[in-house]
Amino acid sequence: MAHHDTHADHAHDDHHGPEKGIMRWIKTTNHKDLGTLYLFFAFTMFFIGGLMSLVIRAELFVPGLQFVQPEFFNQMTTMHALVMIFGGVMPAFVGLANWMVPMMIGCSDLALPRVNNWGFWILPFAFGLLLSTLFMDGGAPAGGWTMYPPLVLQTGEAFPFLIFAVHLMGISSITGAINVVVTILNMRAPGMTLLKMPLFVWTWLITAYLLIAVMPVLAGAVTMLLTDKYFGTSFFTASGGGDPVLFQHIFWFFGHPEVYIMILPAFGIVSTIIPTFARKALFGYDSMVYATASIAFLSFIVWAHHMFTVGMPLAGELFFMFATMLIAVPTGVKVFNWVATMWKGSMTFETPMLFALGFVFLFTIGGFSGLMLAITPVDFQYHDTYFVVAHFHYVLVPGAVFSIIAAVYYWIPKWTGRMYNEFWGKVHFWLSAIFINLTFFPQHFAGLAGMQRRVPDYAVQFTDWNVISSIGAFGFFAAQFIFIINILACCYGWFGRKQGLPARVWEGAHGLEWTVPSPAPYHTFEDPPQVTEAELTAVHDKTDALDGHKLA
Amino acid sequence: MNSNPRRHALRLVLVTAGMFGFGYALVPLYNMLCDAFGINGKVATTAARVGTVEVDRSRTVTVEFVTTVNGGRPWKFRAEQASIDVHPGQLYTVNFYATNTEGHDLVAQAVPQVAPWDAAKHLRKTECFCFNNQTFKAGEEKRMPVVFMLDPELPAYVDRVTLSYTFFDVTDVAMQQNRGT
């Protein structure tokens, strides 16, 4: 992550090293610097969003109103979602793409470095706008992150700040996505054809297309909200001939691809880590690529499963039910491929592998509850209960967030040249895995029994599950400090951690990023590398790669 | 590689702009689909022409009325009867009463909705207070007739139709439009 201690490597480099001081970070167009900035920004947002979730869990520890007023509670649920989705998960994946995509496809930087800088530096302003609403008259937005009218139109002074913050986040995501697509399609090293790219690159390519397709739709939807409130239009105002349900359709046309934007890069990370520690080539590379593309396509035709209870014609409910269930097929292909990759592998369980395995297991639980929610008749019971909360937190926290943590453990030795502490990494994993299940598993039961989401109080019968859930949430939050210290120690060389790792940090790892020194020099692949067969076997189960695990 | 990244990026910017437009295009698309299939319980907001329709006396359908005032305003708004039994093909008149209990004049707009959704296009109204804005003086009470019929093509399974009206305060918008014209 930190580069100020890598100058030594550049002394004998032909290129200029990074500038000194704060201006380096403001002016930088280097993909590694920007990746680092994105990741630090994302972890700051994870911290802020995490604090908000603790306010929610503290209030829900026992029934009745304890700590906060209902209005503030609603602000917390809304802001927690916006901060975690747009400030945490998405920038973290963009940060990983910044660092790894150029190094994986063998090019020197992203195609549009200045746009990359711009894309990042929009984000602090976007979240400055959004977080400033906490201190305004009427408070922060409290109508839910889905911004349904007419409720959201009752937001006070915070409303335009919310809209413009969403606009800025959208612009940042779109610039990042365009950059990734242009880089991947134009700047691959000779010999790296599309179906030889590492899966992380593939999943990010497809994610980037999803971003380009749906972020503008969200921008349009919130613009309509803005004009409805201030300029007398009636897109969603019933008294003027508009229809509030229309907003839900437009929002979820964005929203469903959005949830895959937050999980496809995670698939890529897990598909990279499991082969490394199973010491085998990834099973079914081609099917992984096609499964990812299928999931991306299906994400565009299932949006209305978020609104089964809104009063749709039966034919519509049936279509969206079956289309949603269809997604289980390509997702199942992926899960079975990961399991098959491990089959008869020489597995070891370093921290990145533990998080990747935790991902496969816990994400699948979230997938199953998703299948339950897809069944229209039972969704009428589950809708807007804690069952839904449990479902999407299972796919987002032990899903997306575990994959981000796994990726950081996996590549931090390459970024900093220093190995993280394996013991504390494992402690971090087990505490995280236990506490996250403690947090979200009981919410399934509370939800099935009828506990509503987004309400600061609940019936006493739900108390036991909520106590467990709150204990889990505080435990999970505390456990993340182990991770932060472990990672910062690699960045800054605390506890006497020394550089001096080999280029191929993990002996089972393949791919171009492991052919450059550790830490990775400020500039890599100024001249396109020769892609060797040995690196390609990393991602391919074809050719003679079935013996690939013997390469190590 | 041989292609030009800058042009590729510009093409993607165009796609972005196109998708922004697509978001807006969803609005007329949605309204067209709702009209074409009569889904979403939307009712025509202009007077229907009722020709000579055979009255189906063998069939009786209950039409229920629901009245709501949006945004917790204190106005009174009710139908003279909670429900009425009708024969498809025959015209009926039901009176609605609304009182402006506030101390100032206001303009209100009623928005109709019909359930079940596939009854919506079979409910024909020749007269309705929802076709236009309604002006209320401070404290004024109004009697507002609705003249409607259910056409005999109403799906056979429907024996109960709910017609709901919600009154919205549109005073600000109406004032602006008056000033404009």
Side-chain angles (χ1 to χ4, degrees):
Chain A
M1 279 189 175
H3 285 286
H4 36 264
D5 41 23
T6 59
H7 295 296
D9 301 303
H10 303 300
H12 36 126
D13 210 355
D14 292 341
H15 309 285
H16 297 293
E19 212 175 314
K20 294 212 165 49
I22 185 78
M23 287 315 282
R24 167 192 174 181
W25 299 103
I26 291 172
K27 286 160 56 183
T28 185
T29 55
N30 180 287
H31 73 100
K32 300 186 182 82
D33 278 358
L34 282 158
T36 305
L37 283 172
Y38 266 112
L39 285 168
F40 270 107
F41 179 83
F43 283 105
T44 310
M45 287 297 143
F46 277 134
F47 179 73
I48 295 172
L51 284 178
M52 292 171 174
S53 72
L54 292 188
V55 173
I56 297 168
R57 283 318 321 170
E59 180 56 51
L60 291 176
F61 189 69
V62 286
L65 294 180
Q66 276 72 236
F67 302 107
V68 296
Q69 293 302 306
E71 294 78 14
F72 189 70
F73 182 91
N74 291 343
Q75 293 171 27
M76 286 295 104
T77 53
T78 306
M79 295 290 276
H80 164 74
L82 289 169
V83 167
M84 287 301 202
I85 292 168
F86 294 103
V89 175
M90 290 169 69
F93 280 134
V94 179
L96 292 170
N98 256 284
W99 254 103
M100 301 320 299
V101 164
M103 278 163 61
M104 285 178 152
I105 63 173
C107 65
S108 58
D109 204 326
L110 290 180
L112 313 160
R114 253 174 229 292
V115 174
N116 197 16
N117 171 292
W118 191 52
F120 172 76
W121 281 108
I122 289 176
L123 280 179
F125 292 94
F127 284 88
L129 282 180
L130 187 67
L131 293 172
S132 71
T133 60
L134 283 165
F135 308 101
M136 287 178 184
D137 279 352
W145 82 279
T146 49
M147 299 178 281
Y148 281 3
L151 184 60
V152 76
L153 298 176
Q154 295 175 20
T155 308
E157 290 173 9
F159 186 75
F161 289 80
L162 166 69
I163 302 299
F164 290 132
V166 171
H167 279 149
L168 289 181
M169 295 165 199
I171 292 170
S172 168
S173 300
I174 291 167
T175 57
I178 291 178
N179 223 333
V180 167
V181 171
V182 176
T183 306
I184 294 174
L185 292 186
N186 296 292
M187 296 171 67
R188 296 189 308 280
M192 181 163 292
T193 57
L194 281 176
L195 278 175
K196 287 179 178 172
M197 296 194 306
L199 257 186
F200 180 70
V201 179
W202 251 117
T203 53
W204 239 109
L205 178 66
I206 292 169
T207 303
Y209 273 117
L210 287 181
L211 279 165
I212 293 169
V214 300
M215 289 308 286
V217 176
L218 174 69
V222 298
T223 309
M224 290 182 224
L225 286 176
L226 188 77
T227 56
D228 265 13
K229 186 164 168 81
Y230 294 114
F231 300 100
T233 59
S234 299
F235 289 106
F236 313 123
T237 316
S239 59
D243 190 340
V245 175
L246 170 61
F247 178 84
Q248 301 186 20
H249 283 290
I250 301 179
F251 181 85
W252 287 113
F253 182 82
F254 145 80
H256 203 78
E258 165 71 14
V259 304
Y260 292 142
I261 286 164
M262 292 190 285
I263 203 65
L264 293 184
F267 290 164
I269 290 164
V270 170
S271 303
T272 310
I273 290 175
I274 288 180
T276 297
F277 296 101
R279 291 166 183 79
K280 273 176 66 190
L282 181 70
F283 184 88
Y285 172 92
D286 288 4
S287 68
M288 283 298 213
V289 172
Y290 295 131
T292 311
S294 311
I295 293 172
F297 168 74
L298 288 172
S299 74
F300 284 103
I301 57 165
V302 297
W303 75 88
H305 67 216
H306 295 269
M307 21 188 311
F308 277 145
T309 58
V310 87
M312 267 188 292
L314 184 63
E317 311 236 88
L318 286 173
F319 171 78
F320 286 109
M321 173 167 89
F322 289 127
T324 303
M325 291 181 161
L326 209 54
I327 297 174
V329 177
T331 313
V333 167
K334 288 183 152 297
V335 173
F336 284 118
N337 278 348
W338 290 323
V339 174
T341 305
M342 291 183 264
W343 179 255
K344 290 191 173 174
S346 322
M347 294 196 357
T348 52
F349 299 94
E350 286 86 345
T351 309
M353 182 62 160
L354 287 176
F355 273 98
L357 293 177
F359 172 95
V360 174
F361 182 63
L362 297 173
F363 173 81
T364 305
I365 291 180
F368 281 142
S369 59
L371 264 180
M372 292 172 69
L373 285 161
I375 305 168
T376 311
V378 298
D379 181 75
F380 275 69
Q381 181 195 347
Y382 303 161
H383 188 87
D384 263 350
T385 67
Y386 262 81
F387 190 81
V388 179
V389 176
H391 158 68
F392 68 71
H393 280 96
Y394 257 90
V395 289
L396 280 176
V397 188
V401 174
F402 269 29
S403 82
I404 292 166
I405 295 172
V408 172
Y409 277 121
Y410 184 64
W411 282 307
I412 195 87
K414 174 55 65 187
W415 296 339
T416 66
R418 300 188 181 90
M419 185 50 92
Y420 63 87
N421 182 300
E422 190 66 58
F423 172 78
W424 286 108
K426 285 185 169 137
V427 170
H428 172 226
F429 168 74
W430 285 109
L431 289 179
S432 295
I434 290 167
F435 281 122
I436 208 67
N437 283 295
L438 221 49
T439 309
F440 292 116
F441 213 81
Q443 295 183 359
H444 289 114
F445 306 128
L448 287 180
M451 181 174 163
Q452 291 166 304
R453 61 189 286 214
R454 293 170 170 166
V455 180
D457 192 5
Y458 51 84
V460 283
Q461 57 178 328
F462 307 127
T463 311
D464 291 350
W465 293 132
N466 276 286
V467 169
I468 297 171
S469 193
S470 290
I471 292 171
F474 279 87
F476 183 78
F477 187 81
Q480 303 318 305
F481 288 94
I482 301 171
F483 171 65
I484 296 297
I485 293 169
N486 209 344
I487 294 310
L488 288 180
C490 289
C491 297
Y492 297 106
W494 295 346
F495 314 128
R497 286 190 196 170
K498 293 268 181 312
Q499 290 183 328
L501 290 168
R504 195 176 301 275
V505 177
W506 311 106
E507 96 281 0
H510 297 268
L512 289 175
E513 79 263 36
W514 304 109
T515 62
V516 302
S518 305
Y522 198 55
H523 299 285
T524 41
F525 299 128
E526 298 280 83
D527 302 310
Q530 202 59 45
V531 183
T532 63
E533 204 52 35
E535 297 310 332
L536 292 178
T537 53
V539 293
H540 258 271
D541 54 344
K542 289 198 182 142
T543 67
D544 52 350
L546 278 177
D547 304 305
H549 60 286
K550 290 177 189 155
L551 280 171
Chain B
M1 299 200 125
N2 45 17
S3 54
N4 182 346
R6 195 171 290 262
R7 283 186 56 185
H8 191 173
L10 280 176
R11 275 206 305 275
L12 291 172
V13 171
L14 284 181
V15 174
T16 305
M19 287 310 293
F20 185 77
F22 176 74
Y24 274 84
L26 284 173
V27 179
L29 201 65
Y30 172 83
N31 289 330
M32 264 161 50
L33 285 175
C34 285
D35 285 347
F37 298 106
I39 48 183
N40 224 16
K42 286 197 165 190
V43 198
T45 48
T46 50
R49 253 175 295 165
V50 183
T52 43
V53 184
E54 189 94 13
V55 178
D56 183 359
R57 300 208 178 276
S58 63
R59 187 173 172 197
T60 307
V61 180
T62 307
V63 180
E64 301 174 320
F65 305 105
V66 177
T67 55
T68 315
V69 178
N70 186 56
R73 306 299 287 269
W75 319 336
K76 287 181 187 151
F77 179 34
R78 65 185 173 87
E80 65 183 348
Q81 58 202 104
S83 65
I84 180 174
D85 289 344
V86 304
H87 298 303
Q90 188 166 336
L91 275 174
Y92 294 86
T93 304
V94 172
N95 287 312
F96 285 73
Y97 295 90
T99 314
N100 172 14
T101 55
E102 298 188 63
H104 54 87
D105 299 358
L106 56 83
V107 184
Q109 170 71 50
V111 175
Q113 185 86 13
V114 170
W117 65 274
D118 46 359
K121 65 177 169 187
H122 301 289
L123 180 86
R124 303 202 193 161
K125 293 185 281 189
T126 58
E127 188 184 339
C128 178
F129 57 94
C130 60
F131 294 161
N132 297 103
N133 286 346
Q134 299 292 324
T135 313
F136 291 87
K137 299 230 177 313
E140 181 184 355
E141 179 177 17
K142 269 191 168 180
R143 189 181 68 126
M144 301 169 296
V146 172
V147 182
F148 73 95
M149 67 166 245
L150 288 171
D151 74 44
E153 259 126 69
L154 185 72
Y157 83 93
V158 179
D159 58 0
R160 191 173 286 268
V161 174
T162 306
L163 173 58
S164 135
Y165 286 105
T166 304
F167 250 129
F168 289 83
D169 184 356
V170 293
T171 312
D172 293 342
V173 182
M175 292 297 186
Q176 275 169 16
Q177 278 166 357
N178 283 348
R179 245 176 274 136
T181 50

